[in-house]
Every structure is written in C-alpha cells, then in structure tokens.
Amino acid sequence: MPSIAVVPGDGIGNEVVPAAVRVLEALAQATGIELRFQRFDFGAERYLRTGEAVPADISAVVREMARTFDAIFFGAAGDDPRVPPEGTARRFLMTLRKDLDLYVNLRPCRLLDARLTPLKGKTEKDIDFVVFRENTEGLYSGLGGVFKMGTTDEIYIREELHTWKGVNRILRYAFEYARRTGRTRVTVAEKSGEEGLWLREMRNVARDFPDIEAENMHIDTLAYQMVLRPERFQVIVAENMWGDILSDLAAALHGGRGLSPSLCLNPETGCYVEPVHGTAPDIFGQNIANPFAAVLCGQLLLEYLGYSREGQLLQQAVVKAIQVGKTTPDLGGACTTDQVTDFLCEAVRELAAEARAVPT
C-alpha cells in the first residue's frame, strides 16, 4: 500500500491539502486502490503552539520520511504575519529540496476550460505543455554575498552555478518524459550562445532521442511565443530562475495559480507534490481557498505512484466542477472550499462508477 506523508505547512496549505486528501480518499474508496496518509505538523501553527516550526533535527526527519514514505504531499511555506520568518515551514521545504537533491520541478500547463484563459481564440487543445525547471542550481544555488551592507559602498554579488551533471540530468529526464508521454518536441530555454553548456548538452542528449525534435530558443523569445502561440510547445526545459518565471507565466495562460500543481523529484531519492499558489495569508481561515491545484497535485501523485488511470478521474472531476460553476471566488464562483471539496468527492465517485460500467 503506497504511503504518503502529508505536510500542509503554512497558510491555506492547511485548508487545501486536507481538502485534496479528502478527495483522494473518496477516489481510493470508489476505485479500490489503497492509500495510507500520515500528517506531519510543521509550520506556523506548530510554532504558535510550541515555539518551533520544525524539529531541530529536520534533516534527519526528512531523510527518515524519504525512507518511510513513497511520496510527500506538501502545502505551502512562508508569509504568515503572525510569526517571524523562522516560524514557518520554509526550513522544512528547503531541507527537503536540498537533502533529497530534488532536481526535477515538473509544472504542467493544461487548459481545462477555454473560458479560463486570457488568450483570445485559444481553446483546450491549444494549451497543453509541461515546463521542467532545474531545481537545484542557477541563481538559487546560494553563491555570493553582501559586502559593506547599508553603506554607499555596498556590493551585492549573486553568482549563477551550472554543472554538467545538473544540466545533463534535467535535460535527459525531460527527453525521457517526452518519449514516455507521446510528446515529440522538447524546447530548451537558453541565451548563452553556441558555447553555452545548456545548448551544447541539449545537442548531446538529443542524439539519444532521434524520435524527439530538439530545439533551443532564447528565453525572451520563448516567453513571447508562449503567449502568442502556446500550441507550438509540448515540453519546455529551463534553468532554475527562468523555469520559475516561465512556469508562473504558464499558470496565467491556463487560469491562474489556483489551478497549478507541481511535482519535485529525484528518481533515486523521492518526490513531493505542491500547489504553487503559496500561503495566501489574505484569505487564510476564510474557507474560500481554491482546492483545485491541490487536487491536481493528487493527480500528479497518483501518476507517480503508478495510478495514472485513477489520476485522470481527479482531473475530470475538476473539469466538471468548473463546467457547472462549482468554484471558489477566484474563479468567479460563490462556493466555499468545503463546498467545492464536497462536490469533487461526489464527482469522483460518479466518475469511478461510470468508468467501471464501461467495458475495457
């Protein structure tokens, strides 16, 4: 039985992750798959009770989680006005990424209803691609520093790190994903010229995938084309910061961060899923947070665990909710988080029953 560690974290993570777990449990009961969930209390709520947001030995906790559980379902970290910066789940999240070396950040961009995109004339068939963000290097590697801070002579240095290992493995994973999912083109974001590591390694890796078209595109042109012609993209690969920016732009194309799941993994160490909308402290506690991104994280989780068919039912339930207007205010609806979750639970039961009735 697959076991999942559940860490809601901060802010609306404490609302949308339990909602998603409810829907997953309803799906498991309706389809006969078995899932085991165990909740961990890390973040601002723990800090307010105990004075610590995470255990002192958080590295050991993370390593034990990776050994004990098949995956981790994380909610959100940071931005809680009630606690100091160290009072959030951010340390857990950073330890998770660093200690498990989770170099793949997978962000699907899939339009589920044409009414949700701001792009004129684009439909569901036009917006369906995946952004792969290298998750451990680049400008976020922590190199550099500040000298003479607060003076007129202040110097701020932030260095960008790229290694052959880091670039090769994210490119290879993206090409393998394209082949595995029936996609035929991989687009690599770069702007370093012919001698750049990303371009050279893209060409090297592409030789092992003659069935996949490989192309490189300058990052500014790629962002421009994502808005004008999203239908031309299937798989996009980018270094850490560019992937961060492109994946948020992609979220705007398909309806917003409230519909944006992500999966971070290293095939050798483990994975976690996370809705990318953050903690949303302005609406936390009001029961109006959109649970769709968290539920779609459930789809990514099930696909990772080998239950792709069951995961599709989660996406279908979200589509059904959007079609009939069972949405939270950010998508123009009037439902609460609980009401949307109730609808999704019933929808997955109905969809599972329909799937059982169809001969295979």
Side-chain angles (χ1 to χ4, degrees):
M1 178 192 304
S3 57
I4 299 112
V6 178
V7 186
D10 301 316
I12 62 169
N14 291 279
E15 297 171 321
V16 299
V17 169
V21 170
R22 276 184 56 201
V23 179
L24 280 166
E25 289 175 333
L27 177 68
Q29 184 176 28
T31 60
I33 64 174
E34 295 184 337
L35 301 171
R36 181 175 69 88
F37 299 94
Q38 182 175 334
R39 178 166 175 154
F40 290 82
D41 180 24
F42 302 150
E45 300 303 320
R46 177 189 177 115
Y47 182 88
L48 290 171
R49 285 197 326 273
T50 69
E52 66 169 11
V54 298
D57 57 343
I58 189 61
S59 287
V61 170
V62 165
R63 289 193 293 271
E64 182 61 26
M65 271 188 177
R67 285 191 293 267
T68 306
F69 295 93
D70 296 287
I72 298 169
F73 200 139
F74 182 71
D79 295 330
D80 189 318
R82 300 173 300 166
V83 300
E86 67 273 15
T88 72
R90 185 174 282 118
R91 186 172 162 222
F92 167 75
L93 182 61
M94 294 300 102
T95 303
L96 186 64
R97 292 176 180 173
K98 181 179 178 182
D99 286 16
L100 300 187
D101 193 26
L102 302 178
Y103 66 90
V104 176
N105 186 323
L106 183 158
R107 291 273 298 271
C109 176
R110 182 183 299 118
L111 180 62
L112 300 181
D113 189 298
R115 294 171 297 171
L116 296 176
T117 183
L119 302 184
K120 182 179 179 180
K122 300 301 181 183
T123 65
E124 294 88 346
K125 65 181 178 60
D126 296 315
I127 302 176
D128 184 7
F129 59 88
V130 177
V131 177
F132 282 94
R133 166 187 171 188
E134 198 291 316
N135 209 37
T136 61
E137 298 186 347
L139 278 174
Y140 299 152
S141 57
L143 297 179
V146 182
F147 304 91
K148 300 181 180 180
M149 182 185 293
T151 74
T152 56
D153 294 319
E154 180 171 338
I155 300 171
Y156 175 56
I157 298 174
R158 189 178 182 188
E159 296 179 294
E160 189 171 333
L161 172 72
H162 301 279
T163 67
W164 178 88
K165 175 184 176 181
V167 174
N168 175 273
R169 65 184 182 176
I170 188 64
L171 286 170
R172 189 164 295 279
Y173 191 92
F175 275 89
E176 289 171 348
Y177 176 90
R179 176 180 283 173
R180 186 170 67 250
T181 58
R183 300 171 190 260
T184 58
R185 180 188 296 134
V186 172
T187 305
V188 177
E190 57 83 32
K191 201 165 184 176
S192 55
E194 289 294 316
E195 295 185 358
L197 176 58
W198 279 83
L199 179 54
R200 286 186 285 112
E201 199 52 32
M202 179 201 78
R203 291 170 176 165
N204 290 334
V205 171
R207 294 190 185 99
D208 295 332
F209 299 87
D211 51 322
I212 307 294
E213 177 189 351
E215 66 172 356
N216 63 295
M217 191 175 293
H218 285 182
I219 178 62
D220 44 358
T221 301
L222 201 162
Y224 178 79
Q225 289 293 336
M226 274 178 60
V227 175
L228 290 182
R229 299 176 59 209
E231 64 274 12
R232 78 174 306 284
F233 296 106
Q234 298 182 33
V235 174
I236 296 172
V237 193
E239 61 88 26
N240 207 336
M241 186 177 71
W242 290 351
D244 191 4
I245 295 168
L246 289 175
S247 55
D248 275 358
L249 173 59
L253 303 185
H254 68 74
R257 290 177 176 174
L259 285 157
S260 299
S262 72
L263 180 145
C264 294
L265 80 151
N266 180 326
E268 297 179 359
T269 63
C271 93
Y272 74 91
V273 293
E274 176 189 7
V276 304
H277 47 56
T279 60
D282 55 322
I283 63 169
F284 175 44
Q286 299 178 43
N287 196 25
I288 58 172
N290 184 349
F292 288 159
V295 172
L296 293 171
C297 280
Q299 179 186 7
L300 294 180
L301 183 68
L302 290 178
E303 290 174 353
Y304 174 79
L305 295 172
Y307 298 112
S308 296
R309 183 179 177 185
E310 290 80 2
Q312 278 293 319
L313 298 181
L314 292 178
Q315 179 178 300
Q316 292 170 23
V318 171
V319 170
K320 187 174 182 179
I322 295 169
Q323 289 175 341
V324 301
K326 289 291 184 179
T327 64
T328 45
D330 59 302
L331 293 182
C335 293
T336 65
T337 306
D338 290 341
Q339 288 170 336
V340 174
T341 305
D342 291 340
F343 179 88
L344 292 173
C345 289
E346 185 58 33
V348 295
R349 295 187 189 103
E350 294 174 356
L351 289 164
E354 293 170 6
R356 287 196 301 271
V358 176
T360 57

